[in-house]
Amino acid sequence: MSRERQKGYTARPLVVGNNYNNGLNGNNNYNNNARLFGITQVHTRNVFMKTYKNLWQGLCSYENLEKAFEKARKGKTFKPYVVQFEKDLDKNLNQLRIELLFHAYSPRSLKTFIIHDPKTRKISKSDFRDRVIHHALCNIIEPIFESHFIYDSYANRIGKGTLKALERFDYFKRKVFNKRTQEGYVLKADIKHYFDEVDRTVLLEIIKDKIGDPKVLWLIKKILLNYKSKNNKGMPLGNLTSQFFANVYLNELDHFVKHGLKVKYYLRYVDDFVILHRNRGVLSEYKIAINVFLREKLSLELHPEKSKLISIKEGITFLGFRVFYYHKLLKKANIIKMAGKIERFKLLYDDGCIDYDTIYVSMQGWMGYAKYGNTFNLRRKIIQKIESYFPKEISTVEMNRYLRNAS
């Protein structure tokens, strides 16, 4: 049974016209008689949708909270607030458990700060104890939603990520691009002010499709309402739950695109998504239909300046790379950002604020990312600079590797 049938979607013809077949006629040419794509109509929810109840005891269990703590402290083991929490770990986890069980839990105020990376963003950081609760919640509900996410949603999911999305984009462009005619296009789209515009009432209705436990829903509302806004919209950048709910919310769009519009070559990373097709006209129709769906169903809209149709041969800026058919280049902003990061590492190292192991791990992660593009000379220059800044250092990772090979 299709997801549209499960969710109560009523099928409509997507294009009204002669001999329509996904926007193409029998000769794989765009049918000029076709008119605008219609929006798949949504009526009652929960027609055949399974909802999950009796989740609360598992969420509040000490074992789940302990697992949540381990996830929350990952990469932050020596942060003072983590060390402080861990000193009385049993007491702190039991305190959280009691607050949850007696509905006495209330998240602390978010700490907000501005970063320039290179965009200016407002980051809202939760208290560490609240981050433990976020992980405890996601431990329970994430597997429920994960099974309903489409394959080609790549942000904040195990086994996905930036590099997998770029690999998939490469696969799509090879399928779409016609080398003989040099035809092939991308609708590269961005949702305007996404995290600020998520309608929390709509989000809760979507969550209720799956979650039928009123106590879990109470906790979700507590977390969502901790981010203050005048119009009941928005989620804080920086929260684990925001990242997860971002996928839940736009999963509605994913299924509309894949099953409503029958789009074959589509992938999404948070609020950026791409659709590839050989015909520019078809992509233009998709863009109109998607914008109508976003406005009517999710109270969102495409960014008018960042959502455009681009020829594959001209190159597409996507996930930090300038992607051409035969090669990829890192965006200049990423190169400048990394150069600045190396300089900051040097200053922090000289002041004794960080050790070389921290620098090495960070650089290895970036090198793995940059390696996906045509960046051999760039990576060699960066390695040379690191070696000149830290000539006598060797990381624990390198030492262990050397010892294994020597034995």
Side-chain angles (χ1 to χ4, degrees), residues 363 366-367 378-386:
M363 293 306 304
W366 186 85
M367 288 290 180
L378 172 65
R379 285 180 284 122
R380 184 171 61 180
K381 287 178 182 178
I382 288 177
I383 289 170
Q384 289 171 349
K385 176 165 275 192
I386 292 291

Side-chain angles (χ1 to χ4, degrees), residues 164-372:
K164 291 289 185 182
L166 287 165
E167 288 173 4
R168 188 68 163 169
F169 183 88
D170 280 348
Y171 172 76
F172 285 171
K173 79 184 181 189
R174 288 193 297 269
K175 288 287 186 180
V176 166
F177 190 68
N178 187 323
K179 292 182 183 179
R180 181 178 60 82
T181 63
Q182 295 289 293
E183 286 184 313
Y185 300 91
V186 179
L187 167 58
K188 182 182 181 298
D190 176 279
I191 295 174
K192 186 178 179 181
H193 303 149
Y194 176 51
F195 278 87
D196 290 332
E197 293 298 324
V198 168
D199 188 315
R200 297 193 293 231
T201 301
V202 174
L203 174 60
L204 281 167
E205 288 302 311
I206 293 169
I207 291 170
K208 286 176 184 177
D209 276 352
K210 298 284 192 302
I211 306 301
D213 190 318
K215 295 177 181 177
V216 175
L217 292 171
W218 166 82
L219 178 60
I220 292 171
K221 289 178 187 175
K222 278 279 186 182
I223 293 169
L224 288 174
L225 293 175
N226 193 41
Y227 183 67
K228 308 302 179 187
S229 68
K230 296 178 181 178
N231 55 5
N232 198 34
K233 287 189 174 185
M235 298 187 298
L237 273 172
N239 271 5
L240 170 72
T241 48
S242 297
Q243 296 169 10
F244 172 65
F245 291 145
N247 274 342
V248 170
Y249 202 69
L250 285 184
N251 188 49
E252 303 292 300
L253 170 65
D254 296 341
H255 282 274
F256 170 70
V257 172
K258 293 297 292 182
H259 305 299
L261 298 180
K262 310 290 186 186
V263 172
K264 190 172 184 180
Y265 301 116
Y266 163 85
L267 70 87
R268 179 176 62 82
Y269 192 95
V270 193
D271 60 327
D272 291 326
F273 65 87
V274 292
I275 300 175
L276 293 84
H277 201 284
R278 283 193 178 180
N279 192 292
R280 187 184 184 96
V282 172
L283 290 178
S284 183
E285 299 275 3
Y286 286 159
K287 182 180 178 183
I288 295 169
I290 287 168
N291 218 8
V292 174
F293 176 86
L294 287 172
R295 285 174 179 165
E296 290 186 356
K297 306 305 176 186
L298 298 177
S299 299
L300 300 171
E301 63 178 311
L302 294 178
H303 197 295
E305 297 170 7
K306 297 180 181 178
S307 302
K308 55 185 73 174
L309 302 175
I310 306 166
S311 171
I312 292 174
K313 66 182 179 183
E314 293 174 4
I316 298 97
T317 301
F318 186 55
L319 300 180
F321 285 91
R322 183 75 176 161
V323 184
F324 298 88
Y325 187 79
Y326 291 104
H327 67 285
K328 296 181 198 68
L329 300 175
L330 269 176
K331 286 174 62 178
K332 288 183 179 179
N334 278 356
I335 298 172
I336 293 169
K337 179 182 172 183
M338 176 47 61
K341 193 172 186 179
I342 293 171
E343 299 302 323
R344 287 195 298 276
F345 277 155
K346 181 70 165 64
L347 291 173
L348 291 169
Y349 176 84
D350 290 344
D351 291 341
C353 297
I354 59 172
D355 57 21
Y356 183 70
D357 276 355
T358 302
I359 297 168
Y360 181 84
V361 169
S362 177
M363 293 306 304
Q364 284 294 102
W366 186 85
M367 288 290 180
Y369 167 73
K371 191 176 181 180
Y372 194 70

Side-chain angles (χ1 to χ4, degrees), residues 30-77:
Y30 186 64
N31 184 346
N32 293 323
N33 294 324
R35 295 196 292 274
L36 180 64
F37 287 82
I39 298 301
T40 303
Q41 187 178 17
V42 182
H43 53 83
T44 4
R45 290 179 175 273
N46 288 321
V47 177
F48 298 105
M49 183 70 67
K50 178 180 179 182
T51 57
Y52 292 79
K53 302 178 181 179
N54 303 317
L55 303 171
W56 188 242
Q57 288 300 320
L59 193 155
C60 297
S61 70
Y62 186 91
E63 292 75 17
N64 185 45
L65 289 170
E66 188 174 38
K67 182 180 176 182
F69 164 74
E70 294 294 337
K71 288 184 175 181
R73 77 162 184 171
K74 189 174 181 180
K76 303 175 182 67
T77 307

Side-chain angles (χ1 to χ4, degrees), residues 11-172:
R12 272 189 187 172
L14 297 175
V15 173
V16 181
N18 297 327
N19 301 322
Y20 181 75
N21 180 16
N22 282 346
L24 302 173
N25 62 26
N27 297 317
N28 287 335
N29 295 316
Y30 186 64
N31 184 346
N32 293 323
N33 294 324
R35 295 196 292 274
L36 180 64
F37 287 82
I39 298 301
T40 303
Q41 187 178 17
V42 182
H43 53 83
T44 4
R45 290 179 175 273
N46 288 321
V47 177
F48 298 105
M49 183 70 67
K50 178 180 179 182
T51 57
Y52 292 79
K53 302 178 181 179
N54 303 317
L55 303 171
W56 188 242
Q57 288 300 320
L59 193 155
C60 297
S61 70
Y62 186 91
E63 292 75 17
N64 185 45
L65 289 170
E66 188 174 38
K67 182 180 176 182
F69 164 74
E70 294 294 337
K71 288 184 175 181
R73 77 162 184 171
K74 189 174 181 180
K76 303 175 182 67
T77 307
F78 300 110
K79 294 284 186 181
Y81 56 81
V82 177
V83 173
Q84 188 66 30
F85 191 94
E86 195 169 12
K87 276 184 181 178
D88 294 307
L89 182 61
D90 190 63
K91 176 185 173 184
N92 286 326
L93 292 183
N94 275 313
Q95 179 62 36
L96 286 175
R97 185 165 186 265
I98 290 168
E99 289 179 22
L100 289 173
L101 288 171
F102 285 91
H103 277 49
Y105 169 73
S106 185
R108 294 174 181 173
S109 297
L110 298 164
K111 293 181 180 178
T112 301
F113 53 94
I114 305 296
I115 65 168
H116 306 279
D117 192 26
K119 295 180 183 177
T120 300
R121 300 179 187 271
K122 183 174 79 170
I123 305 297
S124 298
K125 189 176 180 181
S126 294
D127 189 87
F128 183 72
R129 75 193 301 270
D130 296 322
R131 280 179 258 169
V132 173
I133 295 294
H134 297 170
H135 278 282
L137 172 66
C138 288
N139 285 347
I140 300 300
I141 69 171
E142 189 170 2
I144 294 170
F145 286 92
E146 177 65 30
S147 62
H148 293 271
F149 290 159
I150 67 166
Y151 180 85
D152 286 313
S153 167
Y154 286 89
N156 308 308
R157 295 177 66 195
I158 295 171
K160 300 291 184 177
T162 305
L163 295 185
K164 291 289 185 182
L166 287 165
E167 288 173 4
R168 188 68 163 169
F169 183 88
D170 280 348
Y171 172 76
F172 285 171

